[in-house]
Coordinates of all heavy atoms in Angstrom, one line a residue:
M1 N 114.4 109.3 95.1 CA 115.1 108.1 94.8 C 115.9 107.5 96.0 O 116.4 108.3 96.8 CB 116.1 108.4 93.7 CG 115.5 109.0 92.4 SD 114.5 107.7 91.5 CE 115.8 107.2 90.3
R2 N 116.0 106.2 96.1 CA 116.8 105.5 97.1 C 117.8 104.6 96.5 O 117.6 104.1 95.4 CB 115.8 104.8 98.0 CG 114.8 105.6 98.9 CD 115.6 106.4 99.9 NE 114.7 107.1 100.7 CZ 114.2 108.3 100.5 NH1 114.5 108.9 99.3 NH2 113.4 108.9 101.3
T3 N 118.8 104.4 97.3 CA 119.9 103.6 96.8 C 119.8 102.2 97.4 O 119.6 102.1 98.6 CB 121.3 104.1 97.1 OG1 121.4 105.5 96.6 CG2 122.5 103.3 96.6
C4 N 119.8 101.1 96.5 CA 119.8 99.8 97.0 C 121.2 99.5 97.7 O 122.2 99.7 97.1 CB 119.6 98.8 95.8 SG 119.8 97.1 96.2
I5 N 121.0 98.9 98.9 CA 122.3 98.6 99.6 C 123.0 97.3 99.1 O 124.0 96.9 99.5 CB 122.1 98.4 101.2 CG1 121.1 97.4 101.5 CG2 121.7 99.8 101.8 CD1 121.0 97.0 103.0
G6 N 122.3 96.6 98.1 CA 122.9 95.5 97.5 C 123.7 95.9 96.2 O 124.9 96.0 96.2
C7 N 122.9 96.2 95.2 CA 123.5 96.5 93.9 C 123.9 98.0 93.7 O 124.5 98.4 92.7 CB 122.7 96.0 92.7 SG 121.1 96.9 92.6
Q8 N 123.5 98.8 94.7 CA 123.8 100.3 94.7 C 123.1 101.1 93.6 O 123.4 102.2 93.3 CB 125.3 100.6 94.5 CG 126.2 99.7 95.4 CD 126.1 100.1 96.9 OE1 125.8 101.3 97.2 NE2 126.1 99.1 97.8
C9 N 122.1 100.4 92.9 CA 121.4 101.3 91.9 C 120.3 102.1 92.6 O 119.9 101.8 93.7 CB 120.8 100.3 90.9 SG 119.4 99.3 91.5
K10 N 119.9 103.1 91.9 CA 118.9 104.0 92.5 C 117.6 103.9 91.8 O 117.5 103.8 90.6 CB 119.4 105.5 92.3 CG 120.6 105.9 93.1 CD 121.0 107.3 92.9 CE 122.0 107.8 93.9 NZ 123.3 107.0 93.8
K11 N 116.5 103.8 92.7 CA 115.2 103.6 92.2 C 114.2 104.4 93.0 O 114.6 104.8 94.1 CB 114.8 102.1 92.3 CG 115.5 101.3 91.2 CD 114.9 99.9 91.4 CE 115.8 99.0 90.3 NZ 115.4 97.6 90.5
P12 N 113.0 104.6 92.5 CA 112.0 105.3 93.3 C 111.7 104.5 94.6 O 111.7 103.3 94.5 CB 110.8 105.4 92.4 CG 111.3 105.2 91.0 CD 112.5 104.4 91.1
K13 N 111.4 105.2 95.6 CA 111.2 104.6 96.9 C 110.1 103.5 96.8 O 110.3 102.4 97.4 CB 110.8 105.7 97.9 CG 110.9 105.4 99.3 CD 110.6 106.7 100.1 CE 110.2 106.3 101.5 NZ 109.8 107.5 102.3
K14 N 109.1 103.8 96.1 CA 108.0 102.8 96.1 C 108.3 101.6 95.4 O 107.6 100.5 95.6 CB 106.7 103.5 95.5 CG 106.7 103.9 94.1 CD 105.3 104.3 93.7 CE 105.2 105.1 92.3 NZ 106.1 104.9 91.4
E15 N 109.3 101.5 94.6 CA 109.7 100.3 93.9 C 110.7 99.4 94.8 O 111.1 98.4 94.3 CB 110.4 100.5 92.6 CG 109.4 101.1 91.6 CD 110.1 101.5 90.3 OE1 111.2 101.0 90.0 OE2 109.5 102.2 89.5
M16 N 111.0 99.9 96.0 CA 112.0 99.2 96.7 C 111.4 98.7 98.0 O 110.3 99.0 98.4 CB 113.2 100.1 97.0 CG 113.7 100.8 95.8 SD 115.3 101.6 96.1 CE 116.3 100.2 96.1
I17 N 112.1 97.8 98.6 CA 111.7 97.1 99.8 C 112.5 97.8 101.0 O 113.7 97.8 100.9 CB 112.0 95.6 99.8 CG1 111.0 95.0 98.7 CG2 111.8 94.9 101.1 CD1 111.1 93.5 98.5
R18 N 111.8 98.2 101.9 CA 112.4 98.9 103.0 C 112.6 98.0 104.2 O 111.6 97.2 104.6 CB 111.5 100.1 103.5 CG 112.1 100.9 104.6 CD 111.4 102.2 104.8 NE 112.1 103.1 105.7 CZ 111.5 103.3 106.9 NH1 110.3 102.9 107.3 NH2 112.2 104.1 107.8
I19 N 113.8 97.9 104.7 CA 114.1 97.1 105.9 C 114.4 98.0 107.0 O 115.2 98.9 106.8 CB 115.2 96.1 105.6 CG1 114.8 95.1 104.5 CG2 115.7 95.4 106.8 CD1 115.9 94.2 103.9
I20 N 113.8 97.8 108.1 CA 114.0 98.7 109.3 C 114.5 97.9 110.5 O 114.3 96.8 110.7 CB 112.8 99.4 109.7 CG1 111.6 98.5 110.0 CG2 112.4 100.4 108.6 CD1 110.6 99.3 110.9
R21 N 115.2 98.7 111.3 CA 115.5 98.3 112.7 C 114.4 99.0 113.6 O 114.5 100.2 113.6 CB 116.9 98.7 113.0 CG 117.3 98.2 114.4 CD 118.6 98.7 114.8 NE 118.5 100.0 115.4 CZ 119.5 100.8 115.7 NH1 120.8 100.5 115.3 NH2 119.4 102.0 116.2
T22 N 113.6 98.2 114.2 CA 112.5 98.9 115.1 C 113.2 99.5 116.3 O 114.3 99.1 116.6 CB 111.4 97.9 115.4 OG1 112.1 96.8 116.2 CG2 110.9 97.2 114.2
P23 N 112.5 100.4 116.9 CA 113.0 101.0 118.2 C 113.5 99.9 119.2 O 114.3 100.2 120.0 CB 111.9 101.8 118.7 CG 111.2 102.2 117.4 CD 111.2 101.0 116.6
D24 N 112.8 98.7 119.2 CA 113.2 97.7 120.1 C 114.2 96.7 119.6 O 114.4 95.7 120.1 CB 112.0 97.0 120.8 CG 111.1 96.4 119.7 OD1 111.3 96.6 118.5 OD2 110.1 95.6 120.2
G25 N 114.8 97.2 118.5 CA 116.0 96.4 118.0 C 115.7 95.2 117.1 O 116.6 94.4 116.8
K26 N 114.4 95.0 116.6 CA 114.2 93.9 115.7 C 114.4 94.4 114.3 O 114.3 95.5 114.0 CB 112.7 93.5 115.8 CG 112.5 92.7 117.1 CD 111.1 92.0 116.9 CE 110.4 92.0 118.3 NZ 108.9 92.4 118.1
I27 N 114.7 93.4 113.4 CA 115.0 93.8 112.0 C 113.7 93.2 111.3 O 113.4 92.0 111.3 CB 116.2 93.0 111.4 CG1 117.4 93.3 112.4 CG2 116.5 93.4 110.0 CD1 117.9 94.7 112.4
E28 N 113.1 94.1 110.6 CA 111.9 93.6 109.8 C 111.7 94.4 108.5 O 112.2 95.4 108.3 CB 110.6 93.6 110.7 CG 110.4 94.9 111.4 CD 109.1 94.7 112.3 OE1 109.1 93.8 113.1 OE2 108.2 95.6 112.2
I29 N 110.8 93.8 107.7 CA 110.4 94.5 106.4 C 109.3 95.4 106.6 O 108.3 95.0 107.3 CB 110.1 93.4 105.3 CG1 111.4 92.6 105.0 CG2 109.6 94.1 104.1 CD1 111.2 91.4 104.0
D30 N 109.4 96.6 106.2 CA 108.4 97.6 106.4 C 107.6 97.7 105.1 O 108.1 98.4 104.2 CB 109.0 98.9 106.8 CG 108.0 100.1 106.8 OD1 106.9 99.7 106.9 OD2 108.4 101.2 106.7
K31 N 106.5 97.1 105.1 CA 105.7 97.1 103.8 C 105.0 98.4 103.6 O 104.8 98.7 102.4 CB 104.6 96.0 103.9 CG 105.2 94.6 103.7 CD 104.1 93.5 103.7 CE 104.8 92.2 103.9 NZ 103.8 91.1 104.2
T32 N 104.7 99.1 104.6 CA 104.0 100.4 104.4 C 105.0 101.5 104.0 O 104.6 102.6 103.5 CB 103.3 100.8 105.7 OG1 104.2 101.0 106.7 CG2 102.3 99.7 106.2
G33 N 106.2 101.3 104.4 CA 107.2 102.4 104.2 C 107.1 103.5 105.2 O 107.7 104.6 105.0
K34 N 106.3 103.3 106.2 CA 106.0 104.4 107.1 C 106.4 104.2 108.6 O 106.2 105.0 109.4 CB 104.4 104.7 107.1 CG 104.1 105.4 105.8 CD 102.6 105.5 105.7 CE 102.2 106.1 104.3 NZ 100.9 105.7 103.9
K35 N 106.9 103.0 108.8 CA 107.3 102.7 110.2 C 108.5 103.5 110.6 O 109.3 103.8 109.7 CB 107.6 101.2 110.3 CG 106.3 100.3 110.3 CD 106.7 98.9 110.7 CE 105.6 98.0 110.5 NZ 106.0 96.5 110.7
S36 N 108.5 103.8 111.9 CA 109.7 104.6 112.3 C 110.8 103.6 112.7 O 110.6 102.4 112.9 CB 109.3 105.4 113.5 OG 109.0 104.6 114.6
G37 N 112.0 104.1 112.6 CA 113.2 103.2 112.8 C 114.2 103.5 111.7 O 113.8 104.2 110.6
R38 N 115.4 103.1 111.9 CA 116.5 103.3 110.9 C 116.1 102.3 109.7 O 116.0 101.2 109.9 CB 117.8 103.0 111.5 CG 118.9 103.2 110.6 CD 120.3 103.1 111.3 NE 120.6 104.4 112.0 CZ 121.1 105.4 111.3 NH1 121.5 105.3 110.1 NH2 121.4 106.4 112.0
G39 N 116.2 102.8 108.5 CA 115.9 101.9 107.4 C 116.9 101.8 106.4 O 117.9 102.6 106.3
A40 N 116.8 100.7 105.6 CA 117.7 100.5 104.4 C 116.8 100.1 103.3 O 115.7 99.5 103.5 CB 118.7 99.5 104.8
Y41 N 117.2 100.3 102.1 CA 116.4 100.0 100.9 C 117.0 98.9 100.0 O 118.3 98.9 99.9 CB 116.1 101.2 100.1 CG 115.1 102.2 100.8 CD1 115.7 103.1 101.6 CD2 113.8 102.0 100.6 CE1 114.8 104.0 102.3 CE2 112.9 102.9 101.2 CZ 113.4 103.8 102.1 OH 112.6 104.7 102.8
L42 N 116.2 98.0 99.5 CA 116.7 97.0 98.6 C 115.8 96.9 97.4 O 114.6 97.1 97.6 CB 116.8 95.7 99.3 CG 117.9 95.3 100.2 CD1 117.6 94.1 101.1 CD2 119.2 95.1 99.5
C43 N 116.3 96.5 96.3 CA 115.4 96.1 95.1 C 114.7 94.9 95.5 O 115.1 94.2 96.4 CB 116.3 95.8 93.9 SG 117.5 97.0 93.4
G44 N 113.6 94.6 94.8 CA 112.9 93.5 95.1 C 113.6 92.2 94.5 O 112.9 91.6 93.5
N45 N 114.7 92.0 95.0 CA 115.6 91.0 94.2 C 116.4 90.3 95.3 O 117.2 91.0 96.0 CB 116.4 91.8 93.3 CG 117.1 91.0 92.2 OD1 117.3 89.8 92.5 ND2 117.2 91.6 91.1
V46 N 116.3 89.0 95.4 CA 117.0 88.3 96.5 C 118.5 88.4 96.3 O 119.3 88.4 97.3 CB 116.5 86.9 96.7 CG1 117.0 86.0 95.6 CG2 116.8 86.4 98.1
E47 N 119.0 88.6 95.0 CA 120.4 88.7 94.9 C 120.9 90.0 95.6 O 122.0 90.0 96.2 CB 120.8 88.9 93.4 CG 120.9 87.6 92.6 CD 119.5 87.1 92.1 OE1 118.6 88.0 92.1 OE2 119.4 85.9 91.8
C48 N 120.1 91.0 95.6 CA 120.5 92.3 96.3 C 120.6 92.0 97.7 O 121.5 92.6 98.4 CB 119.5 93.4 95.9 SG 119.6 93.8 94.2
L49 N 119.7 91.4 98.3 CA 119.7 91.1 99.7 C 121.0 90.2 100.1 O 121.6 90.6 101.1 CB 118.4 90.3 100.1 CG 118.4 89.8 101.6 CD1 118.3 91.0 102.6 CD2 117.2 88.9 101.9
D50 N 121.2 89.3 99.2 CA 122.4 88.4 99.5 C 123.7 89.2 99.4 O 124.7 89.0 100.2 CB 122.4 87.2 98.6 CG 121.3 86.2 99.0 OD1 120.9 86.3 100.2 OD2 121.0 85.4 98.2
I51 N 123.8 90.1 98.4 CA 125.0 90.9 98.3 C 125.1 91.8 99.6 O 126.2 91.8 100.2 CB 124.9 91.9 97.0 CG1 125.0 91.0 95.8 CG2 126.1 92.9 97.0 CD1 124.6 91.9 94.5
A52 N 124.0 92.4 99.9 CA 124.0 93.3 101.1 C 124.5 92.5 102.4 O 125.2 93.0 103.2 CB 122.7 93.9 101.3
L53 N 124.0 91.2 102.6 CA 124.4 90.5 103.7 C 125.8 90.1 103.7 O 126.5 90.2 104.6 CB 123.5 89.2 103.7 CG 122.0 89.4 104.1 CD1 121.2 88.1 104.0 CD2 121.8 90.0 105.4
R54 N 126.3 89.7 102.5 CA 127.6 89.2 102.3 C 128.7 90.4 102.6 O 129.7 90.1 103.2 CB 127.9 88.7 100.9 CG 129.0 87.7 100.8 CD 128.9 86.9 99.5 NE 128.7 87.7 98.3 CZ 127.8 87.4 97.4 NH1 126.9 86.4 97.6 NH2 127.7 88.2 96.3
K55 N 128.3 91.5 102.1 CA 129.2 92.6 102.3 C 129.0 93.4 103.6 O 129.6 94.5 103.8 CB 129.0 93.6 101.2 CG 129.5 93.1 99.8 CD 129.4 94.1 98.7 CE 130.0 93.7 97.4 NZ 129.8 94.7 96.4
N56 N 128.1 92.8 104.4 CA 127.8 93.5 105.7 C 127.2 94.9 105.6 O 127.2 95.7 106.4 CB 129.0 93.6 106.6 CG 129.3 92.3 107.2 OD1 128.4 91.5 107.6 ND2 130.6 92.0 107.4
N57 N 126.6 95.2 104.4 CA 126.0 96.4 104.1 C 124.7 96.7 105.0 O 124.4 97.9 105.4 CB 125.6 96.6 102.7 CG 126.8 96.8 101.8 OD1 127.9 96.9 102.2 ND2 126.6 96.7 100.5
L58 N 124.1 95.6 105.2 CA 122.8 95.7 106.0 C 123.2 96.1 107.5 O 122.6 97.1 108.0 CB 122.0 94.4 106.0 CG 120.6 94.6 106.6 CD1 119.8 95.7 105.8 CD2 119.8 93.2 106.5
N59 N 124.1 95.4 108.0 CA 124.6 95.8 109.4 C 125.0 97.2 109.4 O 124.7 97.9 110.3 CB 125.8 94.9 109.8 CG 125.5 93.4 109.8 OD1 124.6 92.9 109.3 ND2 126.4 92.7 110.5
R60 N 125.7 97.7 108.4 CA 126.3 99.0 108.4 C 125.2 100.0 108.3 O 125.1 101.0 109.0 CB 127.3 99.2 107.3 CG 128.6 99.7 107.8 CD 129.6 100.1 106.7 NE 129.4 99.3 105.4 CZ 130.2 98.3 105.1 NH1 131.1 97.9 105.9 NH2 130.0 97.7 103.9
S61 N 124.2 99.7 107.4 CA 123.1 100.7 107.2 C 122.2 100.8 108.4 O 121.8 101.9 108.7 CB 122.3 100.3 106.0 OG 123.0 100.3 104.9
L62 N 122.0 99.7 109.1 CA 121.1 99.7 110.2 C 121.9 100.0 111.5 O 121.3 100.0 112.6 CB 120.3 98.4 110.3 CG 119.5 98.0 109.1 CD1 118.7 96.7 109.3 CD2 118.4 99.1 108.9
K63 N 123.2 100.1 111.4 CA 124.0 100.3 112.6 C 123.8 99.3 113.7 O 123.7 99.6 114.9 CB 123.9 101.7 113.1 CG 124.3 102.8 112.1 CD 124.9 104.0 112.7 CE 125.1 105.0 111.8 NZ 125.9 104.7 110.5
Q64 N 123.7 98.0 113.3 CA 123.5 96.9 114.2 C 124.0 95.6 113.7 O 123.9 95.3 112.5 CB 121.9 96.8 114.5 CG 121.6 95.6 115.4 CD 120.3 95.7 116.0 OE1 120.0 96.8 116.7 NE2 119.4 94.8 115.9
D65 N 124.6 94.8 114.6 CA 125.0 93.5 114.2 C 123.8 92.6 114.1 O 122.9 92.6 115.2 CB 126.0 92.9 115.1 CG 127.4 93.4 114.8 OD1 127.7 93.7 113.6 OD2 128.2 93.4 115.7
I66 N 123.6 91.9 113.1 CA 122.3 91.2 112.9 C 122.6 89.7 113.2 O 123.4 89.1 112.5 CB 121.7 91.4 111.6 CG1 121.5 92.9 111.3 CG2 120.4 90.7 111.5 CD1 121.2 93.3 109.9
P67 N 122.0 89.1 114.2 CA 122.2 87.7 114.5 C 121.8 86.9 113.3 O 120.8 87.1 112.6 CB 121.4 87.4 115.7 CG 120.7 88.7 116.1 CD 121.0 89.7 115.1
L68 N 122.5 85.7 113.2 CA 122.3 84.8 112.1 C 120.8 84.3 112.0 O 120.2 84.3 110.9 CB 123.0 83.5 112.3 CG 124.4 83.5 111.6 CD1 125.2 82.2 111.9 CD2 124.3 83.7 110.0
Q69 N 120.2 84.1 113.1 CA 118.7 83.7 113.1 C 117.9 84.9 112.5 O 116.9 84.6 111.8 CB 118.3 83.3 114.5 CG 117.0 82.5 114.6 CD 116.3 82.6 115.9 OE1 117.0 82.9 116.9 NE2 115.0 82.3 116.0
A70 N 118.1 86.0 112.9 CA 117.4 87.1 112.4 C 117.6 87.3 110.9 O 116.6 87.6 110.1 CB 117.8 88.4 113.1
I71 N 118.8 87.0 110.4 CA 119.1 87.1 108.9 C 118.2 86.0 108.2 O 117.6 86.3 107.2 CB 120.6 86.9 108.7 CG1 121.3 88.1 109.1 CG2 120.8 86.5 107.2 CD1 122.8 88.0 109.0
D72 N 118.1 84.9 108.8 CA 117.4 83.7 108.3 C 115.9 84.1 108.1 O 115.3 83.9 107.1 CB 117.5 82.6 109.3 CG 117.9 81.3 108.5 OD1 118.9 81.4 107.8 OD2 117.2 80.3 108.8
E73 N 115.4 84.7 109.2 CA 114.0 85.1 109.2 C 113.7 86.2 108.2 O 112.8 86.3 107.5 CB 113.6 85.6 110.6 CG 113.2 84.3 111.5 CD 113.1 84.6 113.0 OE1 113.0 85.8 113.3 OE2 113.4 83.7 113.7
L74 N 114.7 87.2 108.2 CA 114.6 88.3 107.2 C 114.5 87.8 105.8 O 113.8 88.3 105.0 CB 115.7 89.2 107.4 CG 115.8 90.4 106.5 CD1 114.6 91.3 106.8 CD2 117.1 91.2 106.5
R75 N 115.4 86.8 105.5 CA 115.5 86.4 104.1 C 114.2 85.7 103.7 O 113.7 85.8 102.7 CB 116.7 85.4 104.0 CG 117.3 85.2 102.6 CD 118.5 84.4 102.6 NE 119.0 84.3 101.2 CZ 118.6 83.4 100.4 NH1 117.6 82.6 100.7 NH2 119.0 83.5 99.1
K76 N 113.7 84.9 104.7 CA 112.4 84.2 104.4 C 111.3 85.3 104.2 O 110.4 85.1 103.2 CB 111.9 83.3 105.6 CG 112.5 81.9 105.4 CD 112.0 81.0 106.5 CE 113.1 80.0 106.9 NZ 113.1 79.7 108.3
A77 N 111.2 86.2 105.1 CA 110.2 87.3 104.9 C 110.4 88.1 103.6 O 109.4 88.4 102.9 CB 110.3 88.2 106.1
F78 N 111.6 88.3 103.2 CA 111.9 88.9 102.0 C 111.4 88.1 100.8 O 110.8 88.7 99.8 CB 113.4 89.1 101.8 CG 113.9 90.1 100.7 CD1 114.1 91.4 100.9 CD2 114.2 89.5 99.5 CE1 114.5 92.3 99.9 CE2 114.6 90.5 98.4 CZ 114.8 91.7 98.7
L79 N 111.7 86.8 100.8 CA 111.2 86.0 99.7 C 109.7 86.0 99.6 O 109.1 86.0 98.5 CB 111.8 84.6 99.9 CG 113.3 84.4 99.6 CD1 113.7 82.9 100.1 CD2 113.7 84.6 98.2
K80 N 109.1 86.0 100.8 CA 107.6 86.0 100.8 C 107.2 87.3 100.2 O 106.3 87.3 99.4 CB 107.2 85.9 102.2 CG 105.9 85.1 102.5 CD 105.7 85.0 103.9 CE 105.2 83.6 104.3 NZ 105.1 83.4 105.7
N81 N 107.8 88.4 100.6 CA 107.4 89.6 100.2 C 107.5 89.9 98.6 O 106.7 90.6 98.0 CB 108.3 90.7 100.8 CG 107.7 92.0 101.0 OD1 107.8 92.9 100.2 ND2 107.0 92.2 102.1
I82 N 108.5 89.2 98.0 CA 108.7 89.4 96.5 C 107.9 88.3 95.8 O 108.0 88.2 94.6 CB 110.2 89.5 96.1 CG1 111.0 88.2 96.5 CG2 110.9 90.7 96.8 CD1 112.4 88.2 96.0
G83 N 107.2 87.4 96.6 CA 106.4 86.5 96.0 C 107.1 85.1 95.5 O 106.6 84.5 94.7
V84 N 108.3 84.9 96.0 CA 109.0 83.7 95.6 C 108.5 82.5 96.3 O 108.3 81.5 95.7 CB 110.6 83.9 95.9 CG1 111.3 82.6 95.6 CG2 111.2 85.0 95.0
I85 N 108.2 82.7 97.6 CA 107.5 81.6 98.4 C 106.2 82.1 98.9 O 106.1 83.4 99.2 CB 108.4 81.0 99.4 CG1 108.9 82.1 100.4 CG2 109.6 80.2 98.9 CD1 109.6 81.5 101.6
G86 N 105.2 81.3 99.1 CA 103.9 81.7 99.5 C 103.8 81.9 101.0 O 104.5 81.8 101.8
Ligands
ZN101 ZN1 119.6 96.2 94.1

């Protein structure tokens, strides 16, 4: 079980979206769940992403300040991932 950094609920790993900081410092969604890097988990729910961003939980979990542009791209990728936009 993993804890969502937005709503703090616990769910099986495979039901969650993993966000990682790659070794070269990029923030991306890890669809395979197998990439190396520091990771954080979120429900497949954009509200959870927004809570995590608002409370700086993502920065804290990934131990990195995330630039606004990266947040923007991450949010788009997240929406794509959960099927909100194509
Ligand atoms: Zn959540």
Side-chain angles (χ1 to χ4, degrees):
M1 302 288 266
R2 291 292 184 276
T3 305
C4 171
I5 58 166
C7 67
Q8 312 293 325
C9 69
K10 290 183 170 61
K11 286 184 185 173
K13 200 175 159 181
K14 64 169 169 23
E15 289 178 21
M16 304 193 80
I17 292 177
R18 183 171 186 246
I19 294 169
I20 59 157
R21 185 185 83 190
T22 64
D24 56 352
K26 282 194 220 137
I27 309 297
E28 51 185 54
I29 292 175
D30 173 20
K31 289 182 190 167
T32 63
K34 286 172 188 156
K35 284 190 191 170
S36 65
R38 177 172 283 276
Y41 290 86
L42 279 166
C43 309
N45 196 330
V46 75
E47 278 85 13
C48 292
L49 176 64
D50 287 341
I51 293 168
L53 293 173
R54 201 163 52 232
K55 293 185 172 174
N56 284 324
N57 289 349
L58 189 60
N59 297 18
R60 235 189 328 264
S61 297
L62 299 179
K63 302 216 187 304
Q64 170 157 312
D65 277 332
I66 304 166
L68 268 177
Q69 196 199 340
I71 288 177
D72 231 49
E73 280 165 21
L74 176 70
R75 203 169 182 281
K76 268 183 218 147
F78 190 92
L79 290 172
K80 215 175 223 175
N81 208 269
I82 60 175
V84 175
I85 54 173

